[in-house]
Amino acid sequence: MALDEDLQSRQMAVYGRESMMKLSGAKVLVSGLNGLGAETAKNVILANVKSVCLQDDKKVVIGDLGANFYLSEKDVGKNRAEACKTQFQELNPSVEVTVNTSPLTPDLVKGFDVVVVCDSSLELACKVNDACRANTPPAHFIYGSVNGVFGSMFCDFGSDFVCVDTTGESAKTCIVEKIEKSAPGKQAVVQCVQDVEIDFDDGEFIVFSEVKGMTQLNDGVPRKIHDVMKGKKQFKIDDTSAYGDYISGGIGNQKKMPLNLKFRTLAECLKDAGQMTDTDTSKQSAKARAWDESVLEYFGKPEFEKKFGRSGLLLLAFRAIDSVGHEVACGEGGVEKVIAKAKELNEQLGDQKVEELDEERLKTIAAYAGGAGAVLNPLAAIFGGIMGQEVVKSCTGKFHPTFQWYHFDCEECLPDSLPKAPHPKGSRYDAQVQVFGKDIQEKLAKLNLFLVGSGALGCEFLKNFALMGCCTADSSKITVTDDDVIEKSNLSRQFLFRNHNIGQPKSDAASKVACTMNPALKVKSMTERVQPSSENIFDDDFWDGLDIVINALDNIKARLYVDSKCVLHTKPLLESGTLGPKCNTQSVIPHVTENYGATKDPPEKEAPQCALHNFPHNIDHCLGLAKSEFVGNYETVPTDANEFTKGPQKFVDGLLAASESPVAILDRLIGDPKFNCAMPGGLLDALVKERPSNFDQCIGWARRKYESYFVDRIKLLVHNCPEDMKTSSGAPFWSPPKRFPKVVPFDDKDEMAMKFIIAASNLRAKMFNISEEHRDPEYFRKVLKDVKIPEFTPFTTKVETGEEEQAEGEGAEKKEAAPALEEDDVKMKAAVTEIGAESEKHKEFKYFVNEFEKDQDDNFHIDFIQAFANLRARNYAIEEVDFLQAKLKAGRIIPAIATATAMATGLVCLEMLKVVGGKKGEAFRNTFCNLALPLYSQSEPAAADKVTSGSRFDPEMYMDVDEVAVPDPQTVWDTMVIPCSRNITVQGLVDWFNAEKQLTLEGWMFTGSDKKADSSPLSSRLGMKVTEYVEARGFPCANKKRLEIGDSPPTARVLELKTADGDDVKICRVVLQFTD
């Protein structure tokens, strides 16, 4: 069955086409439709397998509604699988969803590729596991269980499982500068170019190509890498003594080698668990945390986690609860029975037994017992994500599977006094009340939450909030906002949406579905973006009325803004994000942790312009130029044309006022000969020289563009930088990473060349509102026969290399002089006159601005970019890219899958329970997970940095500064409030600081909404009201209860203060309080 690449594009960015095809043939059995089973089934169905059978012989009870999102009160008494089958089928119509209501037996596994068991005893699970092994072919087996805030999972993929890609990361590459000829039997050093980072690790394999001289390395055989030195950009390979002498060149591409794994059965792993990994090392035994001598011999060995780690303890508790039964474990006297059974089982393990069953660890077993049988939504979401990912791994061999146990807990979010049995029954929240008690449930009901974003993360959050009973009291609500609308590509992971929702606001559609999951849920959906311009909507009263803010955003700028509002209003912020199989969460707790903006990711590296325009050495460079040319031709030019038509001189004056240089303005008017070659450019091209009146003329333009891009530009570059050119030091100019180019003559039989012509022609026609659209190559071939191509004669010019020296054309006796400003002015006036005269004839014409849209495959956008990039790649002998990869890269599509999203939101909801429960700072956790490896890591959030008086290193100024902190100490959470100050003047500010803080206000640099800073002397503003001044800078104050006026650098609003002794002051945030 063909894949719907538009629908599955985000998943394909993670798994690849081959793995997605394997998934589309997989048959999966999910047994047990409790909350864990429902979450797992959801993620597997969204992964687009062939079929899913939902097996369950149990009836719906009211408590199931707290974790299974597809059950409602009307389903109580029905079979669990049958009750939610229809909605699972609607989730992905291309997956066949069936139901089996008979009891789980070993015979049921026949015919399935993967069997997932979610609600079964260990005894039965072992029998099913054995039956999976006996299958022909064997079925892979996954077992999971959640009990309160504890969960466990086990995988058995057979005795000979092949993992074809352990990480899922893009294959690494390098550009070779030199390869040593080693002595016999010795290793050879491979030196890579200094311009490009290398990311290889010892033990990985590499395949060479394009090596000159030592051509034996081009045999396609993977070679093992040794002794990687990333700083020196070098590594070693085995013996090269029998090879020819290295001359030049060489590309190295990582070869991912398959990994064979031999799994053991569940029964075997109950006797000897094997290797386990702890998520949170702070929960290991006291001796392990103290690095006691008695545990040192076990570090790095499987025995460590079993004896002293968290995993061994959780597995022991899990087995004890399973042995006594859930009902007994959580009932009266159940804790004592579970502890006794745990001690008995532990002794049976012999040298594998858990050490240090002290009071601390027995308390953990007791907490585990108290949650026995309670399937909580957050844990179901976490393990549903993990188990769903394991299903994908088992079907595809993509990513390293869990080998074989994984255990997780969040004991730190439990109340100090655990609820006592017997536990109340009869509510959808029975499980939560059993674990946390009635008080926490009532607090959840009364919450006022702000959910920013309702895409993939937002959908999962709304589902979780509904199941947990958040915001169900009359005085509470969830406010959810998202300015985006639903697109087809969203449906593969934003599980609240269906085909009929396409085009609707995300927040509206998601809120409606969430309310069907829990009719008591109170939701207010909005479509406004949270940003400075919407502060009249999300005003001070709004922020003050919130209990917790949850971000479900996909961009840094919006996250930083929400973070700043949470800091200003001292509100807890729960952050999360995903990238393919990776997810992370961060808890931002007022006056306890650092805020989100306290740490910054390094800026994204961008390719130098010289690489894009003249010296590309990878397909990303080619795609970058392709995207730039698309924007230039179909967005910038029509936008400029519309503005120019309104008033030619006004257009130029506006650019000058925006600090555009005359050279840049000329480029927009007539283009740059170095890039346009024989064609006109800019507005001269669009409005005068190449203005089309019919579709055939657009074809002619596209053909001439082809010649300009892929023939003439290369001729010009080679003319100025011939193949034998030397640098000033005598080295070959065309040395790696530079690749010497060749022209690609037009051939109407070449599919990629015709793709470029078809896309460029249709986009050009659209710009000029020519209603025709053509896709048949034969139509274009007929027109192309009569298209005239202008002659181009290369000329001598300077070529930007990005290096200290600039390449100059052969025969050039001196550097070109920069055109005089007067000459530029004359050229501008002449261009404006010529273009203006023609545009006057069409002054009522509106040019279509074709904004780039990555998710509409038939709009020619990606066609143009893919074709351009691949033809450019041919110029430089670079590997080409298919349509999907062009779409992913040019569209900067963020890889996304439902499994990581579900896990992230489950983790955040556990942090929310800590906030509601009033937990202290050490209880909170930040999490990073990579489901591909798999890697799960938790740690306490960093405390907010404290600033004290004295000398300190300022990372923004990158120097030591000596200043007085007011207050001392201070963190980002501190605020200095100036009360009753709506009418205060700037002079009033000066007086207040002097009288109340004995400080002198010497300056106030205020950045306006236009991003321009006002650093005029303070004396020029003394008589102005602060609110009037701020409004004049573009920030309305009418609806505000308070106004943030500044703090110390680096910020957009800087207060320059000094002490009486003349010392610089590090001031905290200063806020004007308008209300009494």
Side-chain angles (χ1 to χ4, degrees):
M1 183 176 67
L3 291 171
D4 186 337
E5 294 192 1
D6 188 13
L7 175 65
Q8 302 293 341
S9 60
R10 272 58 175 177
Q11 285 198 117
M12 292 184 75
V14 179
Y15 300 137
R17 184 178 283 104
E18 182 180 353
S19 291
M20 289 295 294
M21 289 301 296
K22 290 179 181 178
L23 278 172
S24 67
K27 293 176 284 186
V28 182
L29 171 68
V30 178
S31 171
L33 269 294
N34 58 10
L36 176 59
E39 290 282 353
T40 305
K42 172 195 59 149
N43 295 326
V44 171
I45 291 170
L46 288 173
N48 208 49
V49 297
K50 179 178 182 179
S51 66
V52 172
C53 177
L54 308 174
Q55 182 278 324
D56 202 326
D57 64 331
K58 294 183 179 179
K59 305 294 184 184
V60 177
V61 297
I62 191 67
D64 288 327
L65 277 59
N68 185 324
F69 42 86
Y70 283 156
L71 297 177
S72 64
E73 291 186 12
K74 71 178 188 302
D75 296 320
V76 173
K78 297 179 181 178
N79 176 272
R80 288 196 300 195
E82 287 185 330
C84 52
K85 186 258 185 184
T86 299
Q87 294 184 80
F88 275 119
Q89 183 62 78
E90 291 173 350
L91 185 60
N92 187 348
S94 60
V95 175
E96 180 187 3
V97 178
T98 59
V99 164
N100 188 315
T101 60
S102 60
L104 176 64
T105 63
D107 291 337
L108 281 182
V109 305
K110 294 178 181 177
F112 292 102
D113 300 300
V114 189
V115 175
V116 184
V117 177
C118 300
D119 190 10
S120 159
S121 67
L122 281 170
E123 181 183 7
L124 178 56
C126 287
K127 293 177 180 178
V128 172
N129 185 191
D130 292 340
C132 288
R133 287 258 179 159
N135 241 3
T136 306
H140 296 158
F141 173 78
I142 301 169
Y143 173 69
S145 177
V146 294
N147 295 276
V149 294
F150 299 83
S152 296
M153 183 197 68
F154 173 83
C155 294
D156 173 17
F157 295 171
S159 58
D160 188 23
F161 180 78
V162 179
C163 178
V164 297
D165 182 357
T166 58
T167 68
E169 301 292 340
S170 299
K172 303 169 185 178
T173 64
C174 66
I175 300 174
V176 177
E177 186 175 87
K178 186 178 180 180
I179 303 176
E180 179 184 55
K181 189 167 186 176
S182 68
K186 301 294 184 180
Q187 293 177 339
V189 174
V190 178
Q191 179 64 55
C192 301
V193 298
Q194 294 296 318
D195 309 54
V196 183
E197 299 291 332
I198 66 167
D199 193 30
F200 287 97
D201 293 302
D202 290 359
E204 293 179 337
F205 286 79
I206 191 170
V207 172
F208 291 99
S209 62
E210 302 183 23
V211 177
K212 296 179 182 177
M214 200 176 282
T215 55
Q216 293 89 342
L217 288 176
N218 299 327
D219 57 8
V221 175
R223 289 172 167 81
K224 195 171 186 178
I225 291 175
H226 312 276
D227 300 336
V228 177
M229 301 180 70
K230 296 185 180 182
K232 292 185 175 181
K233 312 288 178 65
Q234 64 181 223
F235 54 84
K236 293 179 180 178
I237 57 174
D238 290 332
D239 191 350
T240 60
S241 59
Y243 300 162
D245 292 332
Y246 176 82
I247 298 175
S248 65
I251 300 293
N253 290 296
Q254 179 190 10
K255 174 65 175 178
K256 295 192 176 186
M257 306 301 284
L259 175 67
N260 288 74
L261 294 171
K262 186 174 182 178
F263 286 79
R264 295 178 299 140
T265 65
L266 177 58
E268 291 173 309
C269 289
L270 287 173
K271 297 175 183 176
D272 179 359
Q275 181 68 60
M276 295 186 288
T277 303
D278 290 341
T279 298
D280 188 344
T281 56
S282 70
K283 296 179 180 180
Q284 292 173 344
S285 73
K287 286 185 178 180
R289 298 197 302 270
W291 292 71
D292 188 87
E293 288 186 11
S294 63
V295 305
L296 292 181
E297 65 176 294
Y298 296 102
F299 274 121
K301 299 178 180 178
E303 288 79 11
F304 175 78
E305 279 79 11
K306 287 185 281 189
K307 288 178 170 291
F308 304 101
R310 189 70 166 183
S311 297
L313 177 66
L314 296 181
L315 177 56
L316 178 63
F318 176 49
R319 292 185 60 204
I321 291 168
D322 177 79
S323 183
V324 304
H326 289 161
E327 291 295 328
V328 173
C330 68
E332 294 184 77
V335 169
E336 291 76 13
K337 294 174 183 176
V338 170
I339 289 176
K341 177 56 70 172
K343 291 179 177 179
E344 177 188 332
L345 292 170
N346 197 39
E347 290 304 316
Q348 295 173 7
L349 291 172
D351 60 0
Q352 300 286 321
K353 74 176 184 179
V354 175
E355 302 290 346
E356 281 193 275
L357 283 182
D358 54 16
E359 182 179 352
E360 179 187 52
R361 285 160 73 85
L362 290 175
K363 182 181 176 183
T364 296
I365 296 177
Y368 207 148
V375 181
L376 300 185
N377 160 256
L379 267 292
I382 292 168
F383 275 87
I386 297 172
M387 292 169 67
Q389 193 65 60
E390 295 303 313
V391 171
V392 173
K393 295 175 186 180
S394 74
C395 297
T396 64
K398 185 86 169 182
F399 305 158
H400 196 297
T402 297
F403 194 74
Q404 295 183 249
W405 279 109
Y406 175 65
H407 307 277
F408 171 85
D409 77 283
C410 191
E411 184 184 358
E412 66 275 9
C413 76
L414 292 173
D416 295 334
S417 178
L418 296 177
K420 290 183 169 51
H423 302 291
K425 298 291 183 182
S427 164
R428 63 164 64 225
Y429 312 123
D430 281 349
Q432 278 185 172
V433 173
Q434 174 185 332
V435 176
F436 293 103
K438 288 185 177 180
D439 287 346
I440 294 296
Q441 192 61 49
E442 290 173 359
K443 289 180 180 179
L444 288 170
K446 295 176 181 177
L447 285 175
N448 279 293
L449 302 178
F450 186 26
L451 176 61
V452 190
S454 58
L457 286 166
C459 284
E460 290 285 340
F461 277 127
L462 283 170
K463 174 258 296 177
N464 294 354
F465 299 155
L467 297 178
M468 294 172 69
C470 300
C471 311
T472 53
D474 291 339
S475 59
S476 68
K477 68 172 178 288
I478 302 170
T479 301
V480 56
T481 190
D482 196 316
D483 67 338
D484 201 4
V485 296
I486 299 164
E487 299 175 347
K488 184 179 180 180
S489 61
N490 300 146
L491 304 184
S492 66
R493 66 201 184 284
Q494 299 176 19
F495 88 107
L496 298 184
F497 305 142
R498 301 290 179 268
N499 274 307
H500 66 266
N501 296 126
I502 292 174
Q504 296 175 6
K506 288 184 176 180
S507 54
D508 290 349
S511 298
K512 289 177 183 175
V513 178
C515 288
T516 66
M517 295 177 176
N518 187 345
L521 188 69
K522 307 292 190 300
V523 184
K524 179 182 180 182
S525 64
M526 304 177 70
T527 57
E528 285 76 20
R529 184 174 295 187
V530 185
Q531 57 188 4
S533 61
S534 61
E535 287 186 1
N536 61 319
I537 299 169
F538 304 109
D539 57 18
D540 291 332
D541 286 334
F542 173 80
W543 290 99
D544 288 342
L546 299 174
D547 295 309
I548 305 172
V549 179
I550 301 96
N551 266 349
L553 293 161
D554 60 1
N555 70 89
I556 301 297
K557 184 178 179 181
R559 285 188 170 114
L560 288 170
Y561 176 74
V562 173
D563 176 62
S564 71
K565 302 303 288 185
C566 290
V567 170
L568 177 61
H569 295 269
T570 60
K571 299 297 177 183
L573 170 65
L574 302 179
E575 262 290 353
S576 58
T578 68
L579 180 65
K582 303 167 190 169
C583 69
N584 66 279
T585 69
Q586 180 181 356
S587 296
V588 178
I589 310 301
H591 300 290
V592 175
T593 72
E594 65 181 6
N595 64 314
Y596 173 79
T599 56
K600 296 179 181 177
D601 293 330
E604 187 176 337
K605 289 187 177 180
E606 294 187 0
Q609 288 299 304
C610 62
L612 292 182
H613 289 288
N614 297 316
F615 309 111
H617 55 78
N618 60 48
I619 193 63
D620 290 342
H621 292 160
C622 301
L623 285 164
L625 184 60
K627 175 75 176 292
S628 175
E629 291 296 330
F630 175 90
V631 172
N633 284 314
Y634 307 116
E635 289 188 39
T636 304
V637 168
T639 299
D640 284 354
N642 287 327
E643 292 300 314
F644 186 91
T645 304
K646 294 176 185 177
Q649 193 56 50
K650 183 179 179 182
F651 171 77
V652 173
D653 292 343
L655 294 176
L656 289 169
S659 302
E660 286 272 14
S661 69
V663 173
I665 296 173
L666 274 171
D667 187 27
R668 294 172 79 157
L669 291 171
I670 63 174
D672 185 337
K674 287 191 292 186
F675 300 124
N676 299 317
C677 300
M679 287 191 75
L683 294 177
L684 183 66
D685 165 81
L687 304 186
V688 183
K689 301 296 186 181
E690 290 271 4
R691 184 185 187 94
S693 58
N694 57 54
F695 193 92
D696 289 1
Q697 290 175 352
C698 295
I699 297 176
W701 174 85
R703 175 63 183 87
R704 287 184 284 276
K705 272 291 186 183
Y706 180 101
E707 199 73 11
S708 174
Y709 285 139
F710 312 115
V711 178
D712 294 347
R713 282 195 192 184
I714 303 303
K715 289 180 180 178
L716 182 63
L717 178 60
V718 171
H719 172 79
N720 286 279
C721 304
E723 191 168 11
D724 59 355
M725 182 175 172
K726 307 287 185 183
T727 66
S728 57
S729 63
F733 176 80
W734 290 100
S735 298
K738 295 187 184 76
R739 302 173 69 85
F740 187 73
K742 296 180 180 179
V743 300
V744 179
F746 180 74
D747 179 359
D748 68 2
K749 297 181 180 62
D750 183 86
E751 181 182 354
M752 203 55 63
M754 289 303 295
K755 193 170 196 176
F756 173 85
I757 297 295
I758 294 170
S761 302
N762 278 285
L763 291 167
R764 181 75 165 184
K766 184 82 170 177
M767 172 180 160
F768 286 92
N769 299 317
I770 296 170
S771 58
E772 294 179 58
E773 182 179 286
H774 293 280
R775 296 177 182 270
D776 183 3
E778 287 306 315
Y779 178 87
F780 290 85
R781 291 190 179 101
K782 290 178 183 178
V783 177
L784 287 168
K785 291 178 182 178
D786 299 323
V787 173
K788 295 182 179 179
I789 306 300
E791 289 290 330
F792 174 67
T793 302
F795 54 88
T796 299
T797 186
K798 185 184 294 184
V799 177
E800 300 292 331
T801 67
E803 301 166 3
E804 186 174 332
E805 59 177 291
Q806 306 294 330
E808 294 194 42
E810 291 243 321
E813 297 180 359
K814 60 182 179 178
K815 293 183 178 181
E816 297 174 313
L821 291 176
E822 294 83 357
E823 183 181 344
D824 290 339
D825 190 53
V826 171
K827 287 182 179 179
M828 275 197 296
K829 288 180 179 178
V832 168
T833 300
E834 181 181 6
I835 302 169
E838 185 65 27
S839 69
E840 180 66 22
K841 302 175 185 177
H842 310 279
K843 59 183 179 182
E844 302 301 324
F845 193 87
K846 183 74 172 177
Y847 302 90
F848 182 80
V849 178
N850 214 331
E851 295 183 2
F852 177 64
E853 171 50 58
K854 61 185 178 294
D855 282 320
Q856 189 178 337
D857 289 354
D858 61 352
N859 63 3
F860 299 105
H861 294 197
I862 301 299
D863 286 329
F864 176 89
I865 289 171
Q866 182 208 3
F868 185 108
N870 283 341
L871 292 164
R872 177 79 168 166
R874 290 180 193 177
N875 284 139
Y876 290 86
I878 294 169
E879 187 174 352
E880 297 178 28
V881 68
D882 64 18
F883 182 88
L884 176 63
Q885 287 301 312
K887 176 177 178 175
L888 296 174
K889 289 175 177 286
R892 294 196 171 190
I893 291 175
I894 299 174
I897 46 179
T899 51
T901 305
M903 185 176 190
T905 59
L907 289 164
V908 167
C909 287
L910 290 176
E911 298 302 298
M912 184 176 71
L913 283 164
K914 297 173 187 177
V915 175
V916 173
K919 292 295 180 178
K920 295 180 180 179
E922 63 270 15
F924 291 93
R925 294 289 186 273
N926 290 347
T927 305
F928 173 77
C929 300
N930 186 338
L931 290 167
L933 300 179
L935 169 68
Y936 311 104
S937 176
Q938 286 193 311
S939 59
E940 289 184 29
D945 284 341
K946 286 186 178 180
V947 176
T948 59
S949 298
S951 181
R952 67 179 179 88
F953 178 75
D954 190 315
E956 296 289 344
M957 300 175 69
Y958 207 74
M959 61 182 291
D960 288 326
V961 294
D962 195 13
E963 57 195 4
V964 175
V966 179
D968 186 5
Q970 62 180 257
T971 73
V972 69
W973 296 102
D974 286 304
T975 299
M976 185 178 293
V977 177
I978 303 178
C980 305
S981 50
R982 180 174 290 279
N983 296 314
I984 196 171
T985 62
V986 178
Q987 179 64 59
L989 282 182
V990 175
D991 296 341
W992 188 89
F993 278 113
N994 189 27
E996 299 294 330
K997 303 295 178 182
Q998 291 75 55
L999 301 174
T1000 301
L1001 179 61
E1002 294 193 343
W1004 184 24
M1005 188 180 73
F1006 194 99
T1007 302
S1009 60
D1010 58 359
K1011 307 301 181 186
K1012 295 181 179 179
D1014 178 13
S1015 54
S1016 60
L1018 195 65
S1019 58
S1020 65
R1021 294 173 266 165
L1022 291 176
M1024 294 183 70
K1025 284 185 179 181
V1026 172
T1027 53
E1028 291 176 354
Y1029 173 71
V1030 171
E1031 288 188 332
R1033 302 293 295 141
F1035 296 102
C1037 300
N1039 296 324
K1040 290 185 176 292
K1041 292 170 62 178
R1042 61 180 68 87
L1043 174 66
E1044 184 179 356
I1045 62 170
D1047 52 16
S1048 296
T1051 62
R1053 305 174 185 184
V1054 178
L1055 294 167
E1056 298 174 17
L1057 293 150
K1058 288 190 180 293
T1059 66
D1061 295 330
D1063 294 322
D1064 291 330
V1065 173
K1066 171 66 177 177
I1067 195 76
C1068 69
R1069 183 186 313 100
V1070 178
V1071 170
L1072 302 186
Q1073 185 72 39
F1074 294 156
T1075 56
D1076 294 338

